[in-house]
Amino acid sequence: MPNNEKEYNGYLLDQLASLERIEEIAIASGCKDVIAAIEKEKKWVERKLYQTPPIGNHEK
């Protein structure tokens, strides 16, 4: 479990990097369904990564 926002963002960036590597293979193979699924996953990860306000800035 991540201890802070920076660590959590690191995990999210690792997920994006993995998805991008898989996406390269899917594009080279012409797997349109897989490419569409990867794009959806990337959007979900980016939504978490670039949320406003950041995780640590929630008002109490």
Side-chain angles (χ1 to χ4, degrees), residues 1 6 8-10 12 16 19 22-27 32 37 39-43 45 48 50-51 53 59:
M1 191 77 176
K6 185 175 181 179
Y8 183 66
N9 285 346
L12 293 173
L16 281 177
L19 287 168
I22 295 167
E23 185 177 35
E24 288 178 15
I25 295 166
I27 289 170
K32 293 179 183 179
E39 286 298 320
K40 186 181 288 185
E41 290 292 328
K42 284 171 57 176
K43 284 181 186 178
V45 172
K48 293 176 191 175
Y50 303 117
Q51 67 182 340
E59 293 182 25

